[in-house]
């Protein structure tokens, strides 16, 4: 079959891109949550010097920071979905915020999972690298965090100028 393009308006095309990025952001939140749960479970079971490694401050702080990143991303995606569903005027801005926070949260969470697993986190014996690779691949599709940061700044400048 020959390939055909759909004739849709530029506004509809832009809306489809926004919805697609929001779906990618939601998947990134799922990847981040799975990696965080894997890291937390390992921190509870791995014992070093007679105590689980999750009881040490260095591990606690890494996991807490990753949890904050995942939670912020989840809340941003929820709000963006509600804004799109309700046709709110800030829906596109909310989707840009969701994309930025989801990419940042997923990358932080998957990196933390690898660090918590130590040397094992870099091997094929543990699935941390699969979550990290998926988060990298999705972030490349959705766009680099730097690009989203620039878009957010330009959107805020437009709002402040009006």
């Amino acid at each position: 079959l020959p390939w055909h393009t759909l004739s849709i308006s530029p506004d509809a095309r832009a809306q489809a891109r926004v919805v697609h990025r929001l779906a990618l952001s939601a998947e990134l939140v799922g990847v981040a949550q799975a990696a965080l749960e894997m890291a937390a479970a390992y921190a509870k079971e791995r014992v070093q010097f007679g105590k689980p490694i999750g009881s040490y401050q260095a591990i606690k702080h890494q996991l807490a920071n990753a949890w904050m990143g995942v939670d912020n991303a989840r809340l941003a995606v929820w709000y963006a979905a509600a804004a799109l569903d309700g046709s709110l005027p800030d829906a596109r801005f909310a989707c840009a915020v969701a994309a930025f926070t989801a990419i940042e949260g997923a990358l932080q969470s998957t990196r933390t999972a690898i660090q918590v697993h130590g040397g094992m986190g870099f091997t094929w014996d543990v699935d941390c690298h699969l979550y990290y690779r998926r988060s990298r691949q999705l972030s490349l599709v959705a766009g680099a965090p730097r690009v989203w940061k620039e878009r957010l700044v330009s959107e805020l400048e437009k709002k402040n100028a009006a």
Side-chain angles (χ1 to χ4, degrees):
L1 295 173
W3 291 94
H4 295 285
T5 58
L6 296 174
S7 12
I8 59 174
S9 69
D11 286 340
R13 185 174 291 124
Q15 183 71 7
R17 284 189 189 118
V18 167
V19 171
H20 179 250
R21 283 191 205 109
L22 183 59
L24 291 176
S25 300
E27 187 175 352
L28 279 163
V29 169
V31 169
Q33 183 67 44
L36 180 60
E37 288 171 2
M38 176 186 278
Y42 183 75
K44 290 176 189 174
E45 75 181 35
R46 173 74 167 103
V47 175
Q48 191 66 35
F49 304 114
K51 296 188 332 190
I53 63 170
S55 67
Y56 296 109
Q57 198 173 30
I59 301 295
K60 282 184 196 177
H61 287 192
Q62 283 187 22
L63 291 172
N65 288 336
W67 181 84
M68 286 299 298
V70 173
D71 198 47
N72 288 340
R74 180 182 298 108
L75 293 173
V77 168
W78 282 351
Y79 178 76
L84 270 179
D85 188 46
S87 300
L88 298 179
D90 69 338
R92 288 187 187 212
F93 181 75
C95 287
V97 169
F100 174 72
T101 56
I103 292 167
E104 287 287 314
L107 292 175
Q108 180 185 24
S109 180
T110 55
R111 286 179 187 138
T112 297
I114 289 172
Q115 290 299 315
V116 167
H117 280 80
M120 291 296 293
F122 292 98
T123 68
W124 288 86
D125 296 337
V126 180
D127 289 341
C128 295
H129 66 95
L130 298 175
Y131 291 119
Y132 177 73
R133 288 173 187 215
R134 185 64 178 165
S135 69
R136 290 290 299 156
Q137 190 269 335
L138 288 173
S139 68
L140 290 173
V141 171
R146 178 185 46 80
V147 172
W148 285 107
K149 220 181 240 187
E150 290 169 5
R151 285 186 187 181
L152 291 173
V153 168
S154 68
E155 286 290 323
L156 287 172
E157 287 172 348
K158 286 179 193 175
K159 280 185 179 185
N160 289 338

